[in-house]
C-alpha cells in the first residue's frame, strides 16, 4: 500500500505478501479511524470487530496517514479501514510496473486479453485516474487564475492612471519648484515619496482585506492556504512598481519642460 499508493504508514507495518494471499484477519486503520475507535489508546495490536458481509475480528497491525478518496471539497476521509485484498475479493487490482508506464500498460493489457479475454474492463495509470478526479478543479483553478490575472491587470492600469493623473495635475507646481532652483532629482523624489505614501496605505488595507477573505474561504474549502507569501509579495511588488512608474514618468517629463511653459499649464 505504501509502495504503490504512496500512503505512508505512521505506526506499525504494512501488509505482507503472505497476509494478502491468505486474507489473514489483519487490518490497517487510517489515523482518523484510530483516533475515533481507540481514543487515548494505541490502536496497533487492538482487535477490531467488523460487521456486515465481512463480519469477523481483525487485528490492527498499522496506522496509515489520512487521505482523500472522494471529493476534494469534502476533505480527508473521516475513517478508513484497509483489509488485505486478493483478485478474488477485489474488483480493482493495483499493479506496480517498472519502466515506461504506457508501454507496460499496453503489454499487460495484451497478456491479460490473451489469457482471459474480457476479464479486465479497463487499465489506466494512477496519474490518469488522479487527473480525471481533479479535472474539474483544474479547470476551475485555470479560470480563477485567468480572472485573477485580468483583475490584477485592471488594478495596475487603474493605479497607473490615477497616480499619473494627479502628478500631471501638479505640473504647474513642479514648474514653480524648478524655477526656484529645485533639481530634477529632487522634484522626482518628492513626487515619488508622496505617491508611495498613498500606495502604501492602499496596499496595507488591500492586503488585510485579502487575508481576511482568504480566511473566510479557507473555512469552507480544504487544502487552501490562508496566506500564500509568494502570491501576496508578488502582488504588492507589482502595485508598488506601477505606482513608481506612474509617479516617475510624468514628474520627470514635467521637470524637464521649460518652467515658463509649465507655469502656463492648465
Amino acid at each position: 500500500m505504501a509502495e504503490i499508493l504512496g500512503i505512508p504508514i505512521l505506526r506499525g507495518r504494512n501488509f505482507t505478501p503472505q497476509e494478502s494471499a491468505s486474507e489473514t484477519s489483519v487490518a490497517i486503520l487510517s489515523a482518523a479511524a484510530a483516533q475515533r475507535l481507540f481514543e487515548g489508546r494505541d490502536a496497533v495490536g487492538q482487535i477490531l470487530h467488523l460487521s456486515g458481509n465481512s463480519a469477523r475480528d481483525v487485528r490492527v497491525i498499522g496506522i496509515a496517514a489520512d487521505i482523500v478518496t472522494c471529493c476534494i471539497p469534502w476533505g480527508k476521509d473521516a475513517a478508513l479501514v484497509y483489509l488485505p485484498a486478493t483478485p478474488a475479493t477485489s474488483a480493482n487490482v493495483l499493479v506496480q510496473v517498472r519502466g515506461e508506464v504506457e508501454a507496460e500498460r499496453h503489454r499487460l493489457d495484451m497478456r491479460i486479453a490473451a489469457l482471459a479475454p474480457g476479464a479486465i474492463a479497463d487499465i489506466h495509470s494512477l496519474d490518469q485516474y488522479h487527473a480525471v478526479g481533479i479535472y474539474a478543479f483544474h479547470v476551475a483553478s485555470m479560470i480563477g487564475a485567468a480572472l485573477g490575472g485580468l483583475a490584477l491587470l485592471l488594478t495596475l492600469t487603474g493605479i497607473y492612471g490615477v497616480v499619473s493623473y494627479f502628478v500631471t495635475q501638479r505640473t504647474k507646481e513642479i514648474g514653480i519648484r524648478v524655477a526656484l532652483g529645485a533639481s530634477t532629482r529632487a522634484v522626482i523624489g518628492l513626487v515619488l515619496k508622496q505617491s508611495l505614501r498613498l500606495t502604501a496605505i492602499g496596499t496595507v488595507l488591500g492586503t488585510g482585506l485579502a487575508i481576511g477573505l482568504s480566511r473566510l474561504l479557507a473555512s469552507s474549502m480544504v487544502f487552501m492556504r490562508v496566506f500564500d507569501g509568494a502570491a501576496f509579495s508578488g502582488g504588492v511588488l507589482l502595485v508598488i512598481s506601477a505606482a513608481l512608474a506612474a509617479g516617475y514618468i510624468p514628474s520627470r517629463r514635467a521637470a524637464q519642460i521649460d518652467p515658463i511653459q509649465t507655469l502656463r499649464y492648465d
Side-chain angles (χ1 to χ4, degrees):
M1 183 173 70
E3 293 81 1
I4 299 179
L5 295 177
I7 305 174
I9 302 297
L10 304 179
R11 296 195 305 279
R13 61 176 177 84
N14 199 358
F15 298 119
T16 64
Q18 293 74 19
E19 289 170 340
S20 297
S22 60
E23 297 186 58
T24 306
S25 296
V26 293
I28 295 177
L29 302 182
S30 65
Q35 176 65 23
R36 182 176 178 179
L37 297 174
F38 302 99
E39 184 177 0
R41 294 178 293 166
D42 187 2
V44 177
Q46 300 287 344
I47 301 299
L48 182 66
H49 177 72
L50 302 179
S51 59
N53 296 331
S54 302
R56 54 178 169 148
D57 292 336
V58 296
R59 180 170 55 87
V60 179
I61 62 172
I63 307 299
D66 294 325
I67 62 171
V68 176
T69 61
C70 184
C71 300
I72 292 178
W74 294 357
K76 296 180 179 180
D77 293 89
L80 288 175
V81 178
Y82 301 95
L83 300 172
T86 65
T89 60
S90 177
N92 299 311
V93 179
L94 296 176
V95 180
Q96 187 176 23
V97 299
R98 301 181 185 277
E100 206 279 321
V101 176
E102 282 303 313
E104 294 298 330
R105 185 196 66 80
H106 180 70
R107 187 178 295 110
L108 181 62
D109 192 14
M110 296 292 291
R111 290 182 178 179
I112 294 177
L115 295 174
I120 301 297
D122 183 34
I123 299 178
H124 52 257
S125 66
L126 284 178
D127 288 339
Q128 293 172 333
Y129 181 81
H130 180 260
V132 171
I134 66 171
Y135 177 75
F137 302 99
H138 181 65
V139 172
S141 67
M142 292 180 63
I143 295 175
L147 293 176
L150 179 60
L152 180 60
L153 179 61
L154 293 175
T155 300
L156 297 178
T157 304
I159 291 174
Y160 183 90
V162 171
V163 175
S164 178
Y165 172 77
F166 281 114
V167 173
T168 303
Q169 291 296 103
R170 300 178 61 184
T171 300
K172 183 177 292 187
E173 175 191 345
I174 293 174
I176 294 175
R177 291 180 180 275
V178 173
L180 294 176
S183 64
T184 301
R185 182 175 181 180
V187 171
I188 294 176
L190 175 64
V191 173
L192 291 181
K193 182 178 180 180
Q194 295 175 347
S195 300
L196 287 178
R197 184 183 297 115
L198 295 175
T199 303
I201 295 174
T203 300
V204 171
L205 294 177
T207 302
L209 180 61
I211 294 177
L213 290 176
S214 297
R215 290 184 179 275
L216 180 62
L217 292 175
S219 63
S220 58
M221 297 183 66
V222 297
F223 308 128
M224 178 177 176
R225 288 182 293 178
V226 175
F227 183 80
D228 189 331
F232 278 95
S233 299
V236 170
L237 288 177
L238 286 175
V239 169
I240 293 177
S241 299
L244 286 174
Y248 177 80
I249 296 175
S251 61
R252 180 176 177 82
R253 186 187 305 118
Q256 292 178 340
I257 299 176
D258 185 358
I260 301 300
Q261 295 182 9
T262 58
L263 291 176
R264 296 174 181 173
Y265 185 84
D266 291 328

